[in-house]
Amino acid sequence: MTQAEIKLCSLLLQEHFGEIVEKIGTHLIKTGSQPLRVIANDTGMSLDQVKKALCVLIQHNLVTYQLQKRGFVEYEASCSRVLRILRYPRYIYTAKTLYSDMGELIVEELLLNGKMTMSVVVRKVVNRLTETMEDGKTMDYGEVSNTFVRLADTHFIQRCPMAPETTETLDAPPPPVPTLVVNEKDMYVVPNLNLIGKGKRRRSFDDEDNGEHKAKRQKQDADSKEPPPDDGIYWQTNIDRFHQHFRDQAIVSAVANRMDQIFRSLPAGYNIVKQILDQYLTLLADDPLEFVGKSGDSGGGMYVINLHKALATLATATLESIVQERFGSRCARIFRLLLRKKHLEQKQVEDFAMIPAKEAKDMLYKMLSENFVSLQEIPKTPDHAPSRTFYLYAVNTLSSARMLLHWCYKSVANLIERRQYETKENKRLLEKSQRVEAILASMQATGAEEMQLQEIEEMITAPERQQLENLKRNVNKIDASENQVDETIFVLESYIESTVKKL
């Protein structure tokens, strides 16, 4: 774990959960697993604060706990899981693309709350959608429930592990920590709930004036409330399934970009004649990218997708683009040459790349100094004399990918710090804008005249509006840059994980 990863985790925790949770989470990431009292002692916080912070982190699957042999419980933070917070907007957007607004809000609620029951998620999403609809229109519980079921059927959401039901005896003390288990058969089974009803809008300010009636109503609701039928069955987002979707889409896009003109002639739908299908499969199998492989000839052969090769190709394409942007097209030519030929001497690089000796030497040393290229010495004699030694240049794709991944973590941390700086510098103006928007919303709800609304809007001057527009534009650019860097992080992480498994 690098310092760049720790810093990015710290910034993400602070931005989403506040200073106390960030301090506890960062401490656990730096130190590893620790018991409760040691965490409180090392961080200088009270036991109550540490407990609440750990509850938040456990709720969001950022911290796990384990009972040690000596009888105490240790808590451990997952750095990789904290870094996934950066990808939350992409998960939500994917759910919106696949399952419309209902899917987007379901995934958003689960990410914001960590774990929730289906009945609570459906109620919240129905009410949120009803708020955005025209007066007189409401969202039905059944539509959102169906979308929830579809998300579970496609494994984008899954059940959380739960404590098994046990018969408690008076003599046996409760265990120090609950043992959470999940049955794989039930992981994506949605409970049979009869959720019927319509969404509710928030009451206007006039309806909430009488605090006594409101308190009585809440007390009556609490007294008559029965536990929902899915009480204890909690759900969470299945991040691995989202990653699988991202990986598949990246591979499909790469093949489409390479063979776009060819595949445009394919008929719409899946009604393809066997002869034409064989031609396209042969074309994919013979392609130098080797995304698709063929094994055997019986029955037409078996076609398989080489996931590791596909991820390696995506990672090397990313490295090539970085080299081109950083060092220019000639360096990129040398880099691609080394990727293809594996090992080359300087003279061979000059000849194959058709670049003058001095320029080729400078470019190789430039890339060598920044660790994009490695140099291997192969002596002919034991004395390692330079005149009797081969000097071979090569590209270590794995180490280059790790270095680039480290840069990406640093870039995202810088972007977050820049956004925080922009927001802090304009804090007074943002607070004023929020107050004005709240007053306008209140007056519109009470049916104020257009002249009154215009007077309120004029509380923010023209220069202040321009400043707010500039801030909004800058923050949007930073957010877009974060998402773009995260796409690169995903490709590099997937390649590194696949390569390590293969070693």
Side-chain angles (χ1 to χ4, degrees):
M1 191 188 311
T2 63
Q3 288 298 317
E5 288 175 277
I6 294 171
K7 182 181 178 182
L8 180 54
C9 285
S10 173
L11 288 167
L12 289 169
L13 288 171
Q14 184 180 17
E15 194 170 47
H16 286 79
F17 303 108
E19 291 183 6
I20 295 176
V21 174
E22 178 270 325
K23 192 171 183 180
I24 300 297
T26 306
H27 174 73
L28 286 174
I29 288 171
K30 288 179 179 178
T31 59
S33 59
Q34 283 194 334
L36 179 65
R37 293 194 178 275
V38 175
I39 298 170
N41 184 56
D42 290 351
T43 57
M45 291 187 174
S46 66
L47 278 174
D48 187 53
Q49 285 178 315
V50 175
K51 286 177 182 178
K52 287 178 179 177
L54 287 172
C55 282
V56 172
L57 292 166
I58 291 170
Q59 172 75 10
H60 288 267
N61 302 310
L62 305 177
V63 162
T64 55
Y65 53 85
Q66 190 173 6
L67 180 64
Q68 299 300 315
K69 292 180 180 178
R70 287 179 286 177
F72 56 83
V73 180
E74 285 193 343
Y75 299 87
E76 185 175 6
S78 170
C79 177
S80 61
R81 184 59 185 78
V82 174
L83 292 173
R84 294 295 81 82
I85 295 174
L86 182 64
R87 208 161 288 157
Y88 280 7
R90 198 173 173 194
Y91 301 145
I92 294 168
Y93 179 73
T94 301
K96 180 183 177 69
T97 306
L98 297 175
Y99 300 102
S100 72
D101 292 344
M102 286 178 275
E104 173 194 10
L105 294 182
I106 288 170
V107 171
E108 184 181 332
E109 286 291 341
L110 288 172
L111 289 172
L112 287 174
N113 295 281
K115 304 177 179 74
M116 297 174 77
T117 60
M118 177 182 174
S119 54
V120 173
V121 173
V122 171
R123 187 180 71 248
K124 281 195 170 188
V125 171
V126 165
N127 291 339
R128 285 180 64 180
L129 288 170
T130 301
E131 285 287 334
T132 62
M133 298 174 80
E134 298 176 4
D135 290 339
K137 292 185 178 181
T138 55
M139 176 58 64
D140 186 67
Y141 273 60
E143 293 182 55
V144 179
S145 297
N146 291 337
T147 304
F148 192 98
V149 173
R150 290 168 62 200
L151 281 163
D153 288 343
T154 50
H155 297 186
F156 283 103
I157 58 175
Q158 63 185 13
R159 284 194 187 190
C160 302
M162 55 192 294
E165 294 181 5
T166 55
T167 55
E168 296 183 3
T169 59
L170 296 174
D171 299 332
V177 293
T179 303
L180 302 180
V181 294
V182 62
N183 188 345
E184 289 188 10
K185 292 180 180 178
D186 298 334
M187 190 175 285
Y188 306 104
V189 176
V190 178
N192 189 14
L193 302 179
N194 189 20
L195 296 175
I196 301 172
K198 302 283 186 180
K200 295 179 181 178
R201 298 178 187 274
R202 292 178 187 172
R203 295 181 179 275
S204 64
F205 296 103
D206 293 338
D207 295 336
E208 305 255 333
D209 287 342
N210 195 331
E212 185 180 348
H213 287 298
K214 185 182 176 185
K216 284 182 180 178
R217 187 169 61 251
Q218 286 178 344
K219 187 176 185 300
Q220 289 171 357
D221 290 344
D223 292 339
S224 62
K225 202 171 186 182
E226 294 181 3
D230 64 337
D231 188 35
I233 303 175
Y234 288 90
W235 293 81
Q236 62 188 356
T237 51
N238 185 0
I239 286 178
D240 292 336
R241 177 64 181 89
F242 277 100
H243 289 175
Q244 181 189 336
H245 178 77
F246 297 156
R247 181 203 66 195
D248 294 347
Q249 290 302 306
I251 293 172
V252 170
S253 298
V255 174
N257 289 337
R258 184 173 178 82
M259 302 183 172
D260 186 39
Q261 296 297 329
I262 299 168
F263 283 100
R264 278 183 186 177
S265 59
L266 270 173
Y270 295 99
N271 298 321
I272 305 172
V273 181
K274 184 180 182 301
Q275 184 181 0
I276 297 175
L277 180 62
D278 288 341
Q279 291 175 0
Y280 279 106
L281 286 172
T282 304
L283 188 67
L284 285 168
D286 293 341
D287 188 77
L289 286 180
E290 298 178 2
F291 280 15
V292 176
K294 182 182 179 183
S295 59
D297 292 317
S298 60
M302 178 76 75
Y303 291 91
V304 294
I305 294 177
N306 189 337
L307 291 176
H308 175 72
K309 183 67 179 177
L311 291 171
T313 303
L314 293 173
T316 51
T318 302
L319 288 170
E320 287 174 20
S321 66
I322 297 293
V323 169
Q324 179 150 348
E325 289 293 324
R326 198 172 180 86
F327 305 111
S329 58
R330 287 193 164 192
C331 278
R333 191 195 309 171
I334 294 173
F335 190 80
R336 282 192 291 268
L337 182 65
L338 290 172
L339 282 170
R340 191 174 298 112
K341 299 290 186 180
K342 306 301 182 187
H343 294 87
L344 289 175
E345 290 185 277
Q346 184 179 318
K347 182 69 171 66
Q348 292 175 307
V349 172
E350 298 163 10
D351 295 340
F352 284 127
M354 293 183 290
I355 296 174
K358 187 176 183 302
E359 289 183 32
K361 183 180 178 180
D362 290 344
M363 290 173 186
L364 283 168
Y365 286 172
K366 197 183 293 182
M367 288 190 286
L368 181 66
S369 64
E370 299 208 20
N371 298 319
F372 282 99
V373 167
S374 60
L375 183 62
Q376 185 178 359
E377 298 180 7
I378 302 178
K380 295 179 184 176
T381 55
D383 60 355
H384 287 260
S387 59
R388 293 184 293 277
T389 302
F390 292 111
Y391 295 94
L392 300 179
Y393 289 95
V395 174
N396 187 332
T397 311
L398 183 60
S399 65
S400 297
R402 282 177 170 150
M403 177 188 70
L404 186 56
L405 183 62
H406 177 73
W407 288 0
C408 288
Y409 289 143
K410 291 178 71 174
S411 298
V412 176
N414 291 340
L415 286 167
I416 292 173
E417 287 183 327
R418 181 65 195 182
R419 183 174 61 242
Q420 290 176 347
Y421 171 79
E422 292 278 350
T423 307
K424 187 178 178 181
E425 285 293 300
N426 296 276
K427 184 179 179 182
R428 183 198 62 80
L429 186 57
L430 285 170
E431 288 175 350
K432 181 180 177 182
S433 174
Q434 288 169 358
R435 285 196 302 271
V436 170
E437 287 176 3
I439 294 169
L440 281 171
S442 174
M443 293 182 71
Q444 284 172 348
T446 55
E449 295 179 1
E450 189 66 31
M451 187 69 72
Q452 292 174 310
L453 296 175
Q454 191 173 351
E455 287 178 4
I456 299 298
E457 286 177 353
E458 288 173 357
M459 290 172 64
I460 298 179
T461 62
E464 286 177 332
R465 288 191 184 282
Q466 184 63 43
Q467 194 175 344
L468 282 169
E469 284 295 320
N470 292 337
L471 174 63
K472 185 179 178 181
R473 187 167 55 251
N474 290 340
V475 169
N476 287 341
K477 282 182 181 178
I478 291 170
D479 291 342
S481 299
E482 276 184 40
N483 292 332
Q484 288 173 350
V485 176
D486 181 61
E487 289 180 14
T488 304
I489 288 173
F490 175 74
V491 170
L492 296 173
E493 283 180 341
S494 300
Y495 164 69
I496 291 169
E497 183 182 354
S498 174
T499 306
V500 170
K501 284 180 181 178
K502 205 174 176 70
L503 292 176

